[in-house]
Amino acid sequence: MALTRQKIVDTALEILRSYGLADLSMRRLARDLGVQPGALYWHVKNKQELLVVLAERILEPVKVGDAGGDPDGAVRRSAQDLRAALLAVRDGSDVVSLAQALAPESLTPLSGLAALLTESGLSELHAHWGAKSLTHYILGAVAEEQTRAELARSGLLEPGPDSDTDGEEFLFGVNTLLAGLEVHRTR
Amino acid sequence: MALTRQKIVDTALEILRSYGLADLSMRRLARDLGVQPGALYWHVKNKQELLVVLAERILEPVKVGDAGGDPDGAVRRSAQDLRAALLAVRDGSDVVSLAQALAPESLTPLSGLAALLTESGLSELHAHWGAKSLTHYILGAVAEEQTRAELARSGLLEPGPDSDTDGEEFLFGVNTLLAGLEVHRTR
DNA sequence: ACCTGAACACCGTTCAAGT
DNA sequence: ACCTGAACACCGTTCAAGT
């Protein structure tokens, strides 16, 4: 059956979900699709482009909803949605971090967060910086969670207290940043 | 001349400084040392261990000095020292992020920051969480700076306004986190 | 237009065998 | 104790040639 960009991305996402980023090679992907490695390059420029598309797919469920009178609340919810979306795919935060490094524009959530922060009374500049700070924090925090998960999976780490203090810690960081931004509010 | 762990690490750091993480392979390292790849594995367990040692070397110049009556100021200085140390080595933030993922304990600055924050009147838990938030922010922010530098180097990005707004933006993030932590202070 | 076959230039790691 | 030689099992990417 005809190879399509869609099928390539879908299969790549499957490999990611089931085996993680380390197993997502172009050759492995081709094998799973029953095709020669070179065939992929007709539909996809290179592996980097593929990773950017995967990152977009991972973030798709997240809509940085509009404020509705409570911009801080909207930021909190968006941050938690982002965390959930990243955690839903193995190595999700690594893929998104890579993609953001490769194609800084293409990932939407950043501009959404900036808009919310502007709405909360920050200048354009501070809103932009604040959104970037939040993004760095979110990606770093979730990356650490997922790294622990990978280590636990490979038996190199005792499973640890599986309770959701991670969620609490994550929210602490988000709230800390929001509280710190408070200071710069005009309104 | 006898191959030693020291020489391996030194040469690795040289490759990193001059050509970046992408060019730091065990085979390339062996070639530069005039030795067979397998020889490295007598002195070093594997590439991961080497990266952890490199991260320690990169962070060596940073001493998270004690407070001296002004813990917030000490945190600010430490953060800026960290940034400088990371920027001093090509792909420094990537190496340190990797190392922190591989050997979460081994990197010292985190516990230093936590100590400073405890001294500033935060509970152990909040100090710990605050230090982690700071670390995630710092690594993310500097990683972005360095990625831009790499892209510019390869000509995929116009050099941009080379002025040091990066430093300003970085400090904004650090100050925001510190201001946000203010709320939880006991003293 | 789309894919195969085959190559190019690499990887990290292991391990018998040499000195 | 320390290193070589050689292998194993991989990579990403390109490109003439086929259909």
Side-chain angles (χ1 to χ4, degrees):
Chain A
M1 208 238 297
L3 190 61
T4 66
R5 203 177 147 97
Q6 261 296 330
K7 280 195 56 171
I8 291 173
V9 175
D10 287 345
T11 306
L13 200 54
E14 248 176 59
I15 296 178
L16 204 59
R17 290 187 178 285
S18 314
Y19 304 95
L21 186 56
D23 281 38
L24 179 55
S25 67
M26 296 302 271
R27 297 183 101 102
R28 164 69 184 272
L29 182 52
R31 207 183 322 128
D32 284 16
L33 284 161
V35 93
Q36 294 295 319
L40 300 176
Y41 291 83
W42 184 263
H43 302 274
V44 149
K45 185 162 177 288
N46 52 30
K47 190 177 180 181
Q48 302 200 351
E49 193 198 83
L50 179 60
L51 287 172
V52 171
V53 177
L54 284 173
E56 288 167 354
R57 280 281 290 269
I58 292 170
L59 295 178
E60 208 177 16
V62 184
K63 29 186 178 305
V64 181
D66 45 3
D70 179 13
D72 269 33
V75 169
R76 255 186 293 272
R77 273 193 304 277
S78 303
Q80 296 190 107
D81 284 1
L82 274 167
R83 173 169 176 260
L86 294 173
L87 287 177
V89 177
R90 208 164 145 180
D91 294 326
S93 60
D94 288 335
V95 174
V96 171
S97 292
L98 269 174
Q100 192 161 58
L102 297 171
E105 354 67 56
S106 116
L107 283 313
T108 32
L110 214 160
S111 38
L113 287 176
L116 285 176
L117 291 177
T118 309
E119 209 171 325
S120 84
L122 290 177
S123 71
E124 293 282 333
L125 183 65
H126 286 168
H128 183 221
W129 285 358
K132 282 176 71 179
S133 300
L134 267 167
T135 306
H136 291 145
Y137 170 72
I138 293 169
L139 290 175
V142 177
E144 204 208 293
E145 280 190 64
Q146 291 189 308
T147 299
R148 265 211 325 277
E150 289 299 318
L151 290 180
R153 202 186 301 262
S154 66
L156 300 178
L157 198 79
E158 74 270 34
D162 75 336
S163 74
D164 194 48
T165 45
D166 279 343
E168 221 185 315
E169 179 178 347
F170 178 76
L171 194 54
F172 174 84
V174 174
N175 281 330
T176 299
L177 276 166
L178 281 173
L181 289 172
E182 195 53 64
V183 187
H184 297 91
R185 299 251 160 89
T186 295
R187 163 175 43 80
Chain B
M1 207 236 298
L3 191 58
T4 66
R5 203 178 148 95
Q6 261 297 329
K7 279 195 54 171
I8 291 174
V9 175
D10 287 346
T11 307
L13 201 54
E14 246 176 60
I15 296 178
L16 204 58
R17 290 187 178 285
S18 315
Y19 304 96
L21 186 54
D23 282 38
L24 179 55
S25 66
M26 297 301 272
R27 297 183 100 102
R28 164 68 185 273
L29 182 52
R31 207 184 320 131
D32 285 18
L33 284 161
V35 93
Q36 294 296 317
L40 300 176
Y41 290 84
W42 184 262
H43 303 273
V44 147
K45 185 163 176 287
N46 51 30
K47 191 177 180 179
Q48 300 199 353
E49 193 197 83
L50 179 60
L51 287 172
V52 171
V53 176
L54 284 173
E56 288 166 355
R57 280 281 291 268
I58 291 171
L59 295 178
E60 209 177 16
V62 184
K63 29 186 177 305
V64 181
D66 46 2
D70 178 13
D72 269 32
V75 169
R76 253 186 294 272
R77 271 193 305 276
S78 302
Q80 295 190 107
D81 283 1
L82 275 166
R83 172 168 177 260
L86 295 172
L87 287 177
V89 178
R90 207 164 147 181
D91 294 325
S93 59
D94 287 336
V95 173
V96 171
S97 293
L98 269 174
Q100 191 161 56
L102 297 171
E105 353 68 57
S106 113
L107 283 314
T108 33
L110 213 160
S111 39
L113 287 176
L116 285 176
L117 291 177
T118 309
E119 209 171 326
S120 83
L122 289 178
S123 69
E124 293 281 333
L125 183 64
H126 286 168
H128 183 222
W129 286 358
K132 283 176 70 178
S133 300
L134 266 168
T135 306
H136 292 144
Y137 170 72
I138 293 169
L139 290 176
V142 178
E144 205 208 293
E145 280 189 66
Q146 290 188 309
T147 299
R148 264 210 326 278
E150 289 301 317
L151 289 180
R153 202 186 301 260
S154 67
L156 299 177
L157 199 78
E158 74 270 35
D162 75 336
S163 74
D164 195 49
T165 46
D166 279 343
E168 221 185 314
E169 179 179 348
F170 178 77
L171 195 54
F172 174 84
V174 174
N175 281 329
T176 299
L177 276 166
L178 281 173
L181 289 172
E182 194 54 64
V183 187
H184 298 91
R185 300 249 159 90
T186 296
R187 164 175 42 81

